[in-house]
Amino acid sequence: GDSVEQPIFSRSSIGTFFQERPVLNNPFLEDALLQKYLSRHLPTQALGTVGADLAKFGERIVREIDALGRQCDENPPRLQHYDAWGCRVDNILTCPAWARMKEISAEEGLVAAGYERTYGEWSRVYQMSKLYLYSPSAGLYTCPLAMTDGAAKVIESLGVTRPVEKAYRRLTSRDPQQFWTSGQWMTERKGGSDVGKVISTFCTASGTETLALSQADGIYKLYGFKWFTSATDSDMTLTLGRVVDVHGHTTKGSKGLSLFYAEIRDQQGKLNGIEVQRLKDKLGTRQVPTAELLLDGLPAHRISDEGRGVASIANMLTITRIHNTVAAVAAMRRIIQLAREYATKRFVFGKFLKDHPLHVQTMARMEVETRGAFLLLMKVCQLLGREETGLASNLDLHLLRLLTPVAKLYTGKQAVAIVSEGLECFGGQGYMEDTGLPRMLRDGQVLSIWEGTTNILSLDVLRCLAKSHGQTLQALFTDVKAKLTAASGNQALVPSVNVVDSALCRLGQFVQAAARRPPSYMELAARDLAYSLARIYIGALLIDHAAWEGASHADIYAAQRWCEQDLCPVFTKDVSSWYNLETPDKDAALVYEGSPL
Ligand code: UCC
Ligand code: FAD
């Protein structure tokens, strides 16, 4: 046996082995797919500057930003209700790292880049690529940035005129002294998903109860209670309220909602008719202050036509849902980046983790999911960029509308699964808070809840299919078909092309059959339909990427592996028994068995 000369576990001696920790390297330089995507799509002149900027930013993330993100996590915001002299102040106190993130966001143009449009139709791809590198190190500063971007988009679409001209300039500024962030206050106690409808025998008032009282000078004062308001330390907000007419009446339902712009603090820095009830005690996203607010005469400008609140804020939802997708895909990519690095250092059963085929298979499965999600994200960003530079075809516009909720709902769920698997790649250490890893899972869980839950977004998919009378779906079919046709000459991809083609065909048959059923049928199918669209479209994107001349064997392999899974869940289940009229009762009986209800 081994001869032991000196005891290594005694008194202050705690052993000689310490596991090498995972190290974060430049996330841009280690992201083969992002680099390949940019070299394939960006015009040559843009590629040089964009690539250099992303490489430099990647370095800044490693050197400076990642540590700031950790500090935001370790020093969550606090609410100070009263000052030392007993005056009510409702100060939300954030840490210096959070303030620094605001400066960095301005300096790096993390919102501005989307509006400067330096790279034409590729400007959104550039901006979102930057946010994608930033997100896992950002200490959730991406949350206010998402809403800031959304607010700028709403203002741009409604017109950059008084009273929101100044706000637009500040939201899109690169000057840290000028830069503003915005909130998005939609949710009230009666409804987050349902901000407007709620008209039933159980409930007479509508989801949003905030009242907007018109003032002599043309502005309004808002009275209400906002149940969730994130990044409440923002400078301004967009919010919904119900205008009270001269007779003291409001219009019920969504048709009574208008969109308002409000500045949160006055010239002296005091809250403008707002009381902060409390900060939320959250599972994750603890870096971000999320508050409950009493609006007690908040001065606000109505910026939509009366009753067009929901439709007007929809532009904000599109942008924040894309940011949500960025956050989801970025979390997946980061956990894989760290896990594969760790696998070169952790030595078990006589070899490094990277030499255990079963462990590598686990990471390969995560990688395939992440690649698919990444290509879907980039497609949506590309479409947004085309729309904003007037280059979008009708097909592009339909695809943007459809793929935005599809990407948000699909990647939100994927992120939780992949990050959870990713934590396991570190064994017990993946569960230890001070590694910084568990935070990723806690923060990931919100991605399927805020900005529209999975079911709400599945219903949004149905809404846009219905509103376009099938044209949106047709656009997706046309685009998938074109990608498959272009790739069909590549022998290695033929089986994958056939699988996606037949899934698309089944989806078409399903939708045709569903059109002859009552609407309740489609409602029950909504989530499976959204998943089918996501999986089929991602399959087409992976194939399209793999068929590109610059693609690697790994790109081809990723496409093949994706296509091994069930791409069309809506069809492969016994649909006639799953989505029919008896199902809700059977589901309810199953769920409520044993419950007193
Ligand atoms: O959660 C929040 C902030 C979290 C912090 C920020 C994180 C950002 C990500 C960061 C990553 C790190 S803010 C709260 C978010 N809340 C939601 O997402 C609400 C979820 N609920 C829905 O989306 C519902 O579908 C509603 C509220 C939109 C449903 O309302 P209605 O009143 O039932 O809607 P209608 O009647 O169907 O539609 C009203 C109008 C229609 O237009 P018109 O009147 O012209 O026919 C719709 O076509 O709004 C239009 N519309 C849309 N248009 C509705 N949804 C959309 C859409 N998605 N795109 C375009
Ligand atoms: P509910 O609508 O009560 O949903 C409960 C469940 O019912 C969900 O599973 C949902 O999918 C399902 N469901 C609801 N309706 C249907 C339907 N028609 N068919 C099938 N299933 C359905 N909001 C803001 O406005 N601003 C913010 O800054 C903000 N920040 C947030 C921060 C955090 C950390 C969190 C967790 C939430 C935040 N929210 C914010 C609120 C968030 O947007 C809502 O909580 C979310 O949209 C869900 O709304 P709800 O809570 O009313 O859930």
Side-chain angles (χ1 to χ4, degrees):
D2 292 348
S3 69
V4 179
E5 285 159 10
Q6 269 189 317
I8 55 167
F9 298 103
S10 79
R11 293 194 184 146
S12 62
S13 180
I14 54 168
T16 54
F17 173 75
F18 293 93
Q19 174 62 45
E20 263 189 82
R21 66 196 62 204
V23 169
L24 176 65
N25 297 315
N26 187 321
F28 177 67
L29 297 183
E30 293 208 345
D31 196 325
L33 186 57
L34 171 59
Q35 291 183 47
K36 272 188 275 186
Y37 178 88
L38 296 175
S39 23
R40 177 180 180 190
H41 293 284
L42 257 55
T44 323
Q45 323 89 287
L47 183 62
T49 35
V50 166
D53 184 61
L54 294 181
K56 193 162 132 246
F57 188 52
E59 215 40 55
R60 189 172 188 189
I61 288 169
V62 173
R63 274 189 301 100
E64 180 188 359
I65 295 173
D66 196 54
L68 291 170
R70 287 288 284 270
Q71 287 167 34
C72 293
D73 193 37
E74 287 157 8
N75 304 287
R78 287 185 300 115
L79 174 62
Q80 179 199 15
H81 267 309
Y82 297 95
D83 70 9
W85 304 97
C87 299
R88 178 96 189 226
V89 284
D90 288 4
N91 276 334
I92 294 173
L93 305 171
T94 54
C95 67
W98 182 258
R100 186 76 191 110
M101 288 297 192
K102 186 176 186 182
E103 292 168 359
I104 291 173
S105 303
E107 285 162 18
E108 295 287 346
L110 295 179
V111 176
Y115 295 86
E116 292 161 350
R117 307 203 172 114
T118 309
Y119 302 106
E121 65 176 299
W122 296 102
S123 300
R124 284 294 190 176
V125 164
Y126 162 59
Q127 177 209 7
M128 297 295 176
S129 298
K130 215 163 169 175
L131 281 159
Y132 160 81
L133 299 175
Y134 178 57
S135 178
S137 297
L140 252 296
Y141 206 78
T142 40
C143 167
L145 294 182
M147 298 188 289
T148 301
D149 195 347
K153 176 78 176 175
V154 168
I155 295 175
E156 191 182 57
S157 60
L158 293 174
V160 185
T161 51
R162 279 164 67 90
V164 284
E165 210 174 8
K166 174 186 73 176
Y168 179 81
R169 249 187 297 113
R170 285 178 173 269
L171 296 173
T172 58
S173 173
R174 278 181 184 260
D175 177 353
Q177 303 303 318
Q178 295 292 316
F179 182 52
W180 269 9
T181 58
S182 177
Q184 171 187 14
W185 302 348
M186 297 177 69
T187 306
E188 299 196 6
R189 285 205 197 93
K190 281 185 182 159
S193 305
D194 182 0
V195 299
K197 288 231 154 54
V198 197
I199 303 170
S200 76
T201 43
F202 303 111
C203 184
T204 46
S206 300
T208 298
E209 296 177 294
T210 296
L211 299 180
L213 269 61
S214 174
Q215 307 297 300
D217 52 4
I219 70 154
Y220 291 79
K221 284 204 169 170
L222 302 185
Y223 296 85
F225 195 94
K226 298 294 174 184
W227 180 231
F228 278 94
T229 63
S230 280
T232 325
D233 61 326
S234 292
D235 305 280
M236 58 159 278
T237 192
L238 297 186
T239 189
L240 297 171
R242 258 171 229 290
V243 173
V244 180
D245 69 19
V246 286
H247 308 292
H249 297 144
T250 57
T251 305
K252 289 201 169 30
S254 308
K255 290 196 167 62
L257 292 179
S258 302
L259 183 62
F260 293 87
Y261 157 76
E263 291 179 19
I264 291 173
R265 292 179 179 273
D266 64 17
Q267 302 283 6
Q268 285 76 45
K270 286 204 178 118
L271 285 170
N272 260 335
I274 299 170
E275 278 185 18
V276 184
Q277 165 107 344
R278 60 170 173 159
L279 290 185
K280 298 283 197 187
D281 183 9
K282 297 175 287 178
L283 168 70
T285 69
R286 290 191 200 148
Q287 311 87 326
V288 185
T290 301
E292 295 168 15
L293 298 182
L294 172 72
L295 310 188
D296 187 11
L298 168 68
H301 298 267
R302 180 168 55 77
I303 57 168
S304 74
D305 288 339
E306 267 187 48
R308 296 298 294 162
V310 174
S312 303
I313 210 166
N315 269 317
M316 185 167 210
L317 294 175
T318 299
I319 298 295
T320 47
R321 286 169 184 173
I322 295 173
H323 278 255
N324 202 90
T325 308
V326 171
V329 185
M332 296 187 236
R333 171 52 64 211
R334 178 62 62 82
I335 201 82
I336 294 176
Q337 190 193 351
L338 293 171
R340 74 178 186 178
E341 200 265 352
Y342 187 66
T344 66
K345 296 172 164 173
R346 179 72 175 159
F347 194 82
V348 295
F349 294 102
K351 43 191 180 177
F352 288 106
L353 283 178
K354 72 171 178 47
D355 299 318
H356 287 281
L358 188 55
H359 187 68
V360 178
Q361 178 204 65
T362 306
M363 293 194 293
R365 287 178 178 167
M366 292 160 63
E367 179 68 33
V368 172
E369 290 288 321
T370 305
R371 286 183 182 222
F374 173 84
L375 291 176
L376 180 60
L377 164 68
M378 282 297 137
K379 180 69 192 179
V380 175
C381 298
Q382 182 197 350
L383 291 166
L384 179 66
R386 287 178 68 79
E387 186 238 329
E388 292 179 333
T389 48
L391 294 171
S393 62
N394 263 342
L395 183 131
D396 289 336
L397 294 175
H398 284 304
L399 281 180
L400 176 62
R401 176 67 184 93
L402 177 64
L403 293 177
T404 302
V406 165
K408 193 284 187 182
L409 76 90
Y410 196 74
T411 60
K413 284 290 194 207
Q414 263 180 322
V416 178
I418 299 299
V419 172
S420 170
E421 188 71 81
L423 293 194
E424 200 175 325
C425 290
F426 299 89
Q429 286 302 95
Y431 201 70
M432 293 302 107
E433 282 289 355
D434 50 0
T435 62
L437 295 166
R439 177 195 59 72
M440 294 181 71
L441 185 60
R442 287 191 277 101
D443 291 347
Q445 182 64 58
V446 84
L447 298 173
S448 63
I449 297 175
W450 67 14
E451 295 304 347
T453 62
T454 312
N455 281 353
I456 289 301
L457 292 175
S458 302
L459 295 173
D460 187 48
V461 168
L462 291 192
R463 177 199 277 111
C464 87
L465 296 187
K467 210 174 167 186
S468 72
H469 305 292
Q471 286 185 53
T472 308
L473 199 60
Q474 194 50 52
L476 182 124
F477 275 61
T478 306
D479 195 40
V480 171
K481 279 277 183 202
K483 287 182 166 48
L484 298 184
T485 308
S488 57
N490 187 323
Q491 279 316 302
L493 289 169
V494 168
S496 303
V497 167
N498 290 339
V499 168
V500 175
D501 197 32
S502 96
L504 189 70
C505 185
R506 290 199 303 272
L507 182 66
Q509 289 166 19
F510 170 80
V511 173
Q512 273 180 3
R516 295 189 289 273
R517 305 285 192 124
S520 58
Y521 185 83
M522 250 329 204
E523 187 177 333
L524 276 183
R527 192 192 270 239
D528 296 339
L529 176 72
Y531 269 55
S532 304
L533 292 169
R535 293 211 186 134
I536 290 170
Y537 198 73
I538 289 174
L541 288 170
L542 283 164
I543 288 171
D544 176 64
H545 177 73
W548 170 52
E549 67 213 4
S552 63
H553 291 302
D555 292 318
I556 294 173
Y557 183 58
Q560 292 167 337
R561 288 201 70 145
W562 180 269
C563 295
E564 278 169 21
Q565 62 177 305
D566 179 5
L567 297 184
C568 190
V570 87
F571 197 83
T572 40
K573 286 174 186 159
D574 182 3
V575 288
S576 56
S577 68
W578 281 61
Y579 307 140
N580 66 22
L581 284 172
E582 292 91 62
T583 304
D585 286 341
K586 288 186 193 161
D587 285 349
L590 176 66
V591 172
Y592 286 99
E593 190 178 28
S595 149
L597 289 177

